[in-house]
Amino acid sequence: MGALLSPAAGGRGVTQAPILEVRHLTRLFGAGGSLAGRGLAALGLAPPPRPVRALDDVSFAVARGEVMGVVGESGCGKSTLGKIVAGLMRPSSGEVRHAGRPVPAGVPRGLDRQMIFQDPFSSLNPRKRVTDLIGEAPRVHRIVAPREVPAYVAGLMERCGIDPEYGDRFAHQFSGGQRQRIGIARALAVKPELLVCDEAVSALDVSIQAQIVNLFMDLREELGLTYLFISHDLGVVRHVADRVLVMYLGRVVESGQVEEVFDRPNHPYTRALVAAVPRLDRRRVAYAPIRGDIPSPMNPPPGCHFHPRCPLATARCRAEMPVLRTVAPGRRAACHLND
Amino acid sequence: MAPVLDIRGLRTAFATAAGDLHALDGIDLVVNRGEIVALVGESGSGKSVTGFSITGLLPAAARVTAGEVRLNGIDLRALSPAAMRSLRGRKVAMIFQDPMMTLNPVLRIDTQMTDALRAHLPLGRAEARARCAAALAEVGIDEPEARLKMYPHQLSGGMRQRVAIAIALLHSPDLVIADEPTTALDVTIQGQILAVVQRLCREKGTALVWITHDLAVVAGIADRIAVMYAGRIVEQGPVDAVLDAPRHPYTRGLIDSVPASHPKGQRLPQIPGRMPTLTELPEGCAFAPRCTRRSAACAARPDPAEAAPGRWVRCFHPLPGAGG
Ligand SMILES: Nc1ncnc2c1ncn2[C@@H]1O[C@H](COP(=O)(O)OP(=O)(O)OP(=O)(O)O)[C@@H](O)[C@H]1O
Ligand SMILES: Nc1ncnc2c1ncn2[C@@H]1O[C@H](COP(=O)(O)OP(=O)(O)O)[C@@H](O)[C@H]1O
Ligand code: SF4
Ligand code: SF4
Ligand SMILES: [Mg+2]
Ligand SMILES: [Mg+2]
């Protein structure tokens, strides 16, 4: 594990235990299958339902103050990873350690890890006023003395760019960007050490996205926060993250310093992903995309999960799953080509 | 030759309790044969309403109140609903962000495609089927014969979108309006769709209006760009000119907001505030409350001015052009 802990970027030397350490995390869904499916299977009329392996043996560590990006296409397990790290979901196996201590799986979750979602609307109670949305947790958990809650909430609103005058309003009375600010203020209210941001800027228009990205970066600086920053947008991840995990069908296929990974990808999937991202400076592109769809995680291809789409696949790739291993200092990849 | 699409002074309003609210306020747009024009803007700027106004698919509460929309010289506003329906699918087609706007969830792909084909062409079943299989192959769907027998829910999102595109292109329309067709898709799948659409436009001379909020996608496929803000096109011109030397402060702000154009970790230049809703539209320049270049003059409404050949800007104080 120690080898993963390259010193965090930005000159933050790391001496203490990583704030977040994830070991061999696996999460299965629907192992039982649907009732009908199980019935048919019991009668021998259908093959037994396969569980979805949403996360498959994921391990990594994040140093205090570091931003770890997580990228990959829809269904690769990013949100599942985020929810487990934030303590909102139990893993099927494996463990999450916080500052060196194992975190008991699942509820009740610690306040030191908070999650921010893509659509803050669905996570904000529509019947509560903004001051209550933000102030409830610090009041209940005695983060500040009861008398001080209103001033504390006003301070958080101000810091996150919401006019404290609007404290009496409900979430639906705000625009998407403002709701995201409310979601951030609410997460910060319990003084977390780690924020899991799951596509937190993905639904926002680019001019609003820039505002929120700036807010995340300022808060990191001011509060020494650590982020697990999940996004399918490689441009945003490159801008905010120090290191990145590239996921495919529940597994980490590559990780390392974000510029290293995006500029000199090792894994063929990372290469394809980076090449497919449209960029402002690429004009009149002749798109030569990788073929094929992302396979169903219910029925992942044998061997390397990427082999049906990989232009470099060999017979070995169809039979044997490559292991994630160190290919350069601070750099891991899972591809047979590295042998 | 007349341009495929020629829009002049298009205004579209929604009837609301507060009276008529104009979602489009004077759109001018020309698209030539084989050309890809991107209509870019943030949500609520009026991109979809523009697409619906052209194709005659506006919701019941909305109507075009002024201006001209010409397709191959024919004034679409003068057409009866029946004539417009007959044109749609044959001469002009629309692709939506959600392919299920095109597809019927309870019908097999072959039924939907052959119906769409035979609506305008007197073809026998077998021939129609063969053409549909060919159309699927053309948008990069493997084993088209097998896919034809499937229902939409049996296909992945990317494949559904490709089927919707195949249907839109069945009659080789002169004009295709694509309203954010890749926004919900993963980048590798988006790449596949962009490749298909690009190739078909080039090969068949189809004129394409590609609606998106993603400037980077536009950079890769468009010949020209029109930037929308609050119901108006604020800037348009060739893709390189607009992206490399934007003249309108909003275009500049949009480009600057893209993280990729900045050194890592640096604060992004941000446009303060947000786009006004239809009920909050300021008099004069709608961008004024967010604009650092505004002056007293901006309380009046700026009209489009031709800053260079083919280059239109709607601003009293445009940024200097590339030459200084
Ligand atoms: N509650 C659940 N029950 C069954 N399957 C699930 C559940 N949650 C997630 N999955 C499956 O687990 C896999 C990973 O899902 P996850 O939501 O983590 O992906 P993601 O990377 O966040 O995707 P996206 O980019 O679309 O948000 C998918 O195949 C998904 O269908
Ligand atoms: N059915 C509707 N009723 C009232 N207003 C609408 C309706 N549809 C769209 N609008 C308004 O018209 C404007 C333009 O919307 P739209 O074309 O959908 O934007 P875009 O596609 O650029 O995101 C917005 O202010 C939107 O709120
Ligand atoms: S292991 Fe084989 S199939 Fe997998 S990415 Fe490497 S070369 Fe491609
Ligand atoms: S017209 Fe004035 S307010 Fe509007 S964009 Fe130009 S300078 Fe800014
Ligand atoms: Mg997710
Ligand atoms: Mg729209």
Side-chain angles (χ1 to χ4, degrees), chain B residues 205-238:
Chain B
T206 312
L208 176 68
V209 177
W210 186 277
I211 296 177
T212 181
H213 65 274
D214 189 339
L215 281 172
V217 166
V218 165
I221 65 160
D223 300 308
R224 285 191 298 121
I225 303 186
V227 181
M228 284 194 78
Y229 189 80
R232 294 174 190 159
I233 290 175
V234 296
E235 171 157 20
Q236 61 174 302

Side-chain angles (χ1 to χ4, degrees), chain A residues 73-74 205-207 211 214 217-218 238-239 241 258-259 278 282-285 290-294 309, chain B residues 42-43 142 156 159 186 188 190 192 198 216 219-220 240 244 254 263-268 270-271 273 290:
Chain A
E73 297 179 284
S74 189
D205 274 318
V206 59
S207 74
Q211 298 170 0
N214 283 341
M217 293 194 304
D218 293 347
R238 183 195 194 95
H239 197 74
V258 69
E259 293 88 350
R282 288 197 200 141
R283 309 285 159 78
R284 285 167 288 275
V285 178
I290 63 168
R291 300 214 28 110
D293 272 302
I294 303 157
R309 306 173 80 192
Chain B
E42 297 183 290
S43 59
D142 294 328
S156 68
M159 238 188 269
D186 281 312
T188 60
Q190 168 172 277
Q192 295 169 356
Q198 215 174 24
D240 295 327
D244 295 335
L254 267 189
K264 180 186 174 57
Q266 199 177 73
R267 275 183 70 82
L268 301 171
Q270 57 186 49
I271 311 175
R290 306 175 73 185

Side-chain angles (χ1 to χ4, degrees), chain B residues 42-44 46-49 52 97 179-180 211:
Chain B
E42 297 183 290
S43 59
K47 305 181 298 293
S48 296
V49 172
F52 295 144
Q97 176 172 342
D179 189 357
E180 312 227 22
I211 296 177

Side-chain angles (χ1 to χ4, degrees), chain A residues 75 78-80 198-199 230:
Chain A
K78 305 183 295 297
S79 297
T80 305
D198 187 0
E199 304 283 4
I230 298 170

Side-chain angles (χ1 to χ4, degrees), chain B residues 86 89-90 113-125 127-128 131-132 169-172:
Chain B
S86 138
R90 211 159 41 85
M113 288 189 81
T114 47
D115 284 357
L117 197 56
R118 279 149 46 109
H120 301 295
L121 280 179
L123 293 177
R125 286 214 167 271
E127 195 188 349
R131 282 232 210 163
C132 293
L169 297 174
L170 272 179
H171 296 281
S172 305

